[in-house]
């Protein structure tokens, strides 16, 4: 099985500060890190159930990233020299770590707290597929296309920074020149949550819901459009789309959870980037319970597909993961979850939306 994106960067020599926090880490971060290590050391349900192995890919022609910054389970690798050097290495707080690197780490930790602590999603490293992983490794590199890539398979790159046997890790690549505080890190982190739940990799599902997830940090809610009520509309507005499919998920979130708010702990709501600006711009995020229910339903569905086709549970070929042959089956599951969610108090905001929702749910009988 291949990665979800084209393989590019990772470090090949020991980075500075590779054993822990970068210089100048405040004591609160140290306590948080120790707390994370204690939790991570406990046996998870995934480990007790048996875990997916970790593929090994040593000597993969990976560029040299000779520095790192560690924050909880995230290891941020970067360099100040050569082709992949950070274009902006400003260090406003003079702690020896570029602001961009600290801001990426901060956004990832905030994202994990929102997804796991507040939404209740299972952390990717505690899923059966990834139970052997020891970290989420993030590589800041020059990229020819896009702002980020998230890889769906835990891998041991046998980096020189690790113990002789190497380390099994999840991987995210981020463009080293993107604006410090854009939402790419949390978008790519949400992909890791998705991969932990399901083998399906339809872009209308993965990119559309990851675009929804960005609004955990961004102001307000994302753009939406009326739900498709016919098969041609479903094909055009959803199955044929990628990021733009976010309009579907945003609309469903609005109808199912019009007053959706995150119950943010005070310390999380006050978290800032290096320059003092808030990471979370407001507490509004519609549809969090729906999104959790959706991904919890997709896992059992892809296990059924595995059994039906005689595929290993976590051993699907890349073309099978992405195949549009699964679209109708996935969407029937979406419709079933929506039906369940509409029974929740306050789900439909106004009677005017009822006809729209009824036409949408009627697609169930038309999908084969």
């Amino acid at each position: 099985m291949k990665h979800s994106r084209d393989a590019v960067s990772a470090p090949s020599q020991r980075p500075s500060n590779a054993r822990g926090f970068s210089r100048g880490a405040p004591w609160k971060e140290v306590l948080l890190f120790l707390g994370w290590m204690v939790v991570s050391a406990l046996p998870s349900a995934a480990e007790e159930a048996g875990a997916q192995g970790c593929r090994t890919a040593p000597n993969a022609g990976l560029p040299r990233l000779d520095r790192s910054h560690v924050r909880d389970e995230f290891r941020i690798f970067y360099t100040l020299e050569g082709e992949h050097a950070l274009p902006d290495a400003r260090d406003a707080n003079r702690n020896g770590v570029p602001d961009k690197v600290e801001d990426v780490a901060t956004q990832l930790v905030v994202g994990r707290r929102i997804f796991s602590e507040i939404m209740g999603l299972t952390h990717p490293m505690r899923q059966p597929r990834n139970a052997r992983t020891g970290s989420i490794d993030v590589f800041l590199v020059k990229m020819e296309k896009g702002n980020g890539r998230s890889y769906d398979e835990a891998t041991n790159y046998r980096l020189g920074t690790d113990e002789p046997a190497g380390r099994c890790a999840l991987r995210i690549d981020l463009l080293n020149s993107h604006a410090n505080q854009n939402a790419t890190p949390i978008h790519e982190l949400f992909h890791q949550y998705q991969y932990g739940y399901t083998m399906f990799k339809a872009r209308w599902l993965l990119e559309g819901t990851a675009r929804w997830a960005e609004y955990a940090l961004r102001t307000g809610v994302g753009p939406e459009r009326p739900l498709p009520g016919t098969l041609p509309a479903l094909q055009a507005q959803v199955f044929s789309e990628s990021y733009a499919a976010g309009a579907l998920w945003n609309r469903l979130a609005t109808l199912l959870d019009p007053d959706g708010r995150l119950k943010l702990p005070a310390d999380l709501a006050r978290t800032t980037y290096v320059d003092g600006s808030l990471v979370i711009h407001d507490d509004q995020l519609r549809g969090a319970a729906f999104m959790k229910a959706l991904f919890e339903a997709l896992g059992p569905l892809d296990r059924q597909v595995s059994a039906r086709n005689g595929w290993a549970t976590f051993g699907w070929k890349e073309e099978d993961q992405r195949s549009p042959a699964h679209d109708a089956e996935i969407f029937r599951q979406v419709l079933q979850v929506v039906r369940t969610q509409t029974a929740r108090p306050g789900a439909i905001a106004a009677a005017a939306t009822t006809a729209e929702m009824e036409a949408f749910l009627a697609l169930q009988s038309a999908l084969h």
Side-chain angles (χ1 to χ4, degrees):
M1 181 171 53
K2 298 179 181 177
H3 289 307
S4 63
R5 303 289 190 272
D6 297 330
V8 285
S9 57
S12 59
Q13 64 183 38
R14 179 173 296 277
S16 60
N17 309 311
R19 296 182 58 170
F21 282 82
S22 302
R23 294 189 303 275
W27 65 268
K28 288 184 179 180
E29 287 186 354
V30 174
L31 291 177
L32 286 171
F33 176 71
L34 293 174
W36 167 258
M37 293 302 292
V38 169
V39 171
S40 299
L42 296 175
S44 67
E47 289 169 327
E48 293 168 358
Q52 166 76 349
C54 188
R55 70 186 290 268
T56 301
N59 303 318
L62 305 173
R64 295 179 182 273
L65 301 178
D66 59 351
R67 295 170 181 259
S68 73
H69 176 64
V70 180
R71 185 87 64 86
D72 296 357
E73 72 271 39
F74 301 103
R75 304 195 301 177
I76 319 296
F77 294 95
Y78 66 100
T79 187
L80 302 180
E81 300 177 351
E83 179 184 4
H84 296 282
L86 292 181
D88 181 359
R90 282 177 292 181
D91 181 14
N93 57 10
R94 299 183 180 181
N95 68 348
V97 182
D99 299 344
K100 171 181 286 297
V101 176
E102 287 194 88
D103 286 349
V104 165
T106 296
Q107 187 177 128
L108 290 170
V109 170
V110 167
R112 181 250 294 156
R113 291 190 64 186
I114 291 174
F115 298 150
S116 289
E117 296 177 18
I118 299 176
M119 287 180 59
L121 295 174
T122 299
H123 192 288
M125 291 169 60
R126 296 184 67 82
Q127 293 280 13
R129 187 181 185 187
N130 302 319
R132 299 185 189 281
T133 54
S135 60
I136 298 178
D137 290 351
V138 181
F139 306 118
L140 301 184
V141 294
K142 178 181 178 181
M143 299 173 64
E144 297 300 325
K145 183 179 180 181
N147 291 326
R149 301 186 181 102
S150 197
Y151 296 76
D152 70 330
E153 191 172 4
T155 301
N156 184 348
Y157 290 99
R158 295 289 176 87
L159 305 180
T161 61
D162 296 324
E163 56 272 14
R167 174 186 289 205
C168 188
L170 299 174
R171 176 178 170 184
I172 293 172
D173 294 341
L174 296 176
L175 180 67
N176 63 1
S177 59
H178 70 66
N180 280 24
Q181 299 169 12
N182 79 358
T184 299
I186 196 173
H187 179 108
E188 299 302 331
L189 177 61
F190 195 71
H191 282 321
Q192 290 296 331
Y193 277 85
Q194 295 166 334
Y195 300 153
Y197 276 100
T198 183
M199 299 299 293
F200 296 125
K201 290 172 65 177
R203 287 177 64 79
W204 59 267
L205 170 68
L206 297 190
E207 297 300 349
T209 56
R211 184 57 58 87
W212 166 87
E214 294 176 15
Y215 284 86
L217 304 185
R218 297 171 67 175
T219 302
V221 296
E224 57 187 71
R225 64 187 301 177
L227 299 175
T230 66
L231 288 181
L234 178 63
Q235 182 64 46
Q237 297 176 25
V238 182
F239 293 163
S240 298
E241 293 290 356
S242 178
Y243 298 96
L248 165 76
W249 305 110
N250 293 334
R251 181 60 177 162
L252 285 171
T254 292
L255 295 176
L256 297 171
D257 185 22
D259 300 319
R261 299 279 176 178
L262 296 173
K263 295 181 179 179
L264 300 172
D267 68 308
L268 184 59
R270 292 194 300 263
T271 301
T272 63
Y273 293 113
V274 173
D275 68 1
S277 60
L278 289 170
V279 179
I280 303 173
H281 288 85
D282 62 38
D283 65 353
Q284 188 172 31
L285 184 66
R286 296 172 178 166
F290 162 64
M291 207 60 68
K292 179 176 184 286
L294 173 62
F295 281 98
E296 288 178 343
L298 289 176
L301 177 61
D302 73 43
R303 306 302 187 270
Q304 294 174 25
V305 173
S306 294
R308 187 169 67 229
N309 291 285
W311 299 339
T313 302
F314 303 122
W316 294 24
K317 295 179 180 178
E318 184 75 6
E319 57 265 32
D320 293 326
Q321 291 180 273
R322 295 182 180 275
S323 174
H326 303 306
D327 284 350
E329 193 165 14
I330 295 171
F331 208 79
R332 285 196 296 270
Q333 190 68 62
V334 172
L335 293 170
Q336 183 57 49
V337 174
V338 171
R339 285 185 187 278
T340 301
Q341 292 290 305
T342 57
R344 297 171 62 247
I348 303 299
T353 65
T354 301
E356 176 188 1
M357 181 62 79
E358 287 180 351
F360 177 72
L361 293 175
L363 290 170
Q364 182 88 28
S365 60
L367 288 166
H368 301 291

